[in-house]
């Protein structure tokens, strides 16, 4: 299966957008258009279990991404990943050396990170709601937990729809089709020698600042920037500002 995706622009450089775990490719509406207008060939996709990509077999998300780029004839791409999409971006860069031109990681998760108390408590509440069959409650919990104070009603409703769709696909999938580990170690990450921008939000849970700090110390060309206005999903909270931030990083020599 080819991941569901959209392509815009016809510039010489390919930019791949990877969504967060509570979203799908719709989260990138503003950045997708802005980066295409800036002269990039922009690809956004739904990972398996999100949006229009069903869970139809066991899979490794990073390998699905590589297969999509192969199908599109893109040997290399700059990868922009939000949250879980940032973790997939790191795994892609580590498992497929030379294919990531640079990485922009927005409040990214990372392989090997052990969740802190706030994140563990959140997952406990989410699991309890799902076990009780309270899908609307689990969706609402995610909307409230992940969006920062600058997120408007439209962004909140979009996340509600995207998260509900993800639950629909993932809860219906056979257990044996669950994503497989990418088996990426710190040594693998340290070998990523492309420019990396690690963005965090001041209103996010501490885990993602810890991840960015770890990456800045581990990767040879990584820079950590914290946004004083952002929660966990800056691409939806201030879309235009996030598009400029990412665009500036992608155009840096």
């Amino acid at each position: 299966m080819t991941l569901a995706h959209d392509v815009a622009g016809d510039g010489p450089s390919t930019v791949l957008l990877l969504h967060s775990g509570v979203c799908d490719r719709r989260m990138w509406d503003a950045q997708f258009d802005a980066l295409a207008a800036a002269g990039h060939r922009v690809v956004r996709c739904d990972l398996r279990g999100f949006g229009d990509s069903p869970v139809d077999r066991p899979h490794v998300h990073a390998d699905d991404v590589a297969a999509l780029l192969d199908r599109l004839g893109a040997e290399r791409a700059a990868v922009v990943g939000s949250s879980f999409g940032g973790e997939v971006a790191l795994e892609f860069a580590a498992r497929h050396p030379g294919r990531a031109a640079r990485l922009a990681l927005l409040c990214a998760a990372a392989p090997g990170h052990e969740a802190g108390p706030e994140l563990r408590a959140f997952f406990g509440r989410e699991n309890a709601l799902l076990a009780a069959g309270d899908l609307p409650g689990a969706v609402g919990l995610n909307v409230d937990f992940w969006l920062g104070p600058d997120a408007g009603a439209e962004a909140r409703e979009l996340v509600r729809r995207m998260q509900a769709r993800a639950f629909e696909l993932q809860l219906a999938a056979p257990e044996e089709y669950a994503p497989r580990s990418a088996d990426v170690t710190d040594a693998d990450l340290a070998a990523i020698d492309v420019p990396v921008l690690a963005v965090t939000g001041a209103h996010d849970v501490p885990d993602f600042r810890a991840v960015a700090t770890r990456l800045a110390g581990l990767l040879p060309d990584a820079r950590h920037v914290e946004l004083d206005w952002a929660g966990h999903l800056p691409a939806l909270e201030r879309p235009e500002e996030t598009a400029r931030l990412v665009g500036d990083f992608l155009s840096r020599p």
Side-chain angles (χ1 to χ4, degrees), residues 42-101:
V42 189
V43 181
R44 61 176 177 177
C45 67
D46 290 334
L47 299 169
R48 287 183 205 257
F50 299 89
D52 295 322
S53 294
V55 185
D56 62 341
R57 69 186 70 179
H59 54 284
V60 175
H61 288 300
D63 295 345
D64 281 348
V65 167
L68 173 62
L69 292 177
D70 287 344
R71 183 177 179 87
L72 296 173
E75 183 177 348
R76 301 187 80 210
V79 187
V80 182
S82 171
S83 187
F84 171 64
E87 181 173 356
V88 175
L90 287 164
E91 292 170 347
F92 166 72
R95 284 175 66 91
H96 301 274
R99 301 206 63 182

Side-chain angles (χ1 to χ4, degrees), residues 2-20 24-47 53 64-82 85 89 92 99 102 104 246 250:
T2 300
L3 299 177
H5 63 279
D6 306 310
V7 182
D10 57 0
S13 61
T14 298
V15 178
L16 175 66
L17 307 176
L18 298 178
H19 59 78
S20 81
D24 54 47
R25 73 188 194 271
R26 289 174 286 180
M27 73 167 287
W28 297 115
D29 282 351
Q31 297 80 29
F32 183 68
D33 293 335
L35 293 173
H40 301 283
R41 181 195 189 204
V42 189
V43 181
R44 61 176 177 177
C45 67
D46 290 334
L47 299 169
S53 294
D64 281 348
V65 167
L68 173 62
L69 292 177
D70 287 344
R71 183 177 179 87
L72 296 173
E75 183 177 348
R76 301 187 80 210
V79 187
V80 182
S82 171
F92 166 72
R99 301 206 63 182
R102 60 182 66 203
V246 171
L250 295 178

Side-chain angles (χ1 to χ4, degrees), residues 172-233:
E175 209 170 290
E176 61 269 24
Y177 287 1
R180 294 173 174 170
S181 169
D183 296 323
V184 170
T185 67
D186 274 9
D188 298 322
L189 294 177
I192 299 173
D193 61 355
V194 299
V196 177
L197 175 66
V199 176
T200 55
H203 300 279
D204 203 356
V205 291
D207 290 76
F208 300 96
R209 186 178 302 107
V211 167
T213 301
R214 172 187 160 209
L215 293 175
L218 187 63
L219 305 179
D221 190 8
R223 181 168 60 102
H224 176 201
V225 173
E226 177 144 301
L227 306 176
D228 60 7
W229 51 265
H232 187 66
L233 297 171

Side-chain angles (χ1 to χ4, degrees), residues 127-164:
N127 289 335
L129 288 166
L130 292 174
D134 186 0
L135 193 61
V139 170
L141 173 69
N142 275 274
V143 173
D144 292 339
F145 188 80
W146 294 116
L147 282 166
D150 282 5
E154 187 176 343
R156 293 177 65 84
E157 178 56 28
L158 179 59
V159 172
R160 188 178 303 279
R161 294 199 306 270
M162 292 187 291
Q163 177 64 93

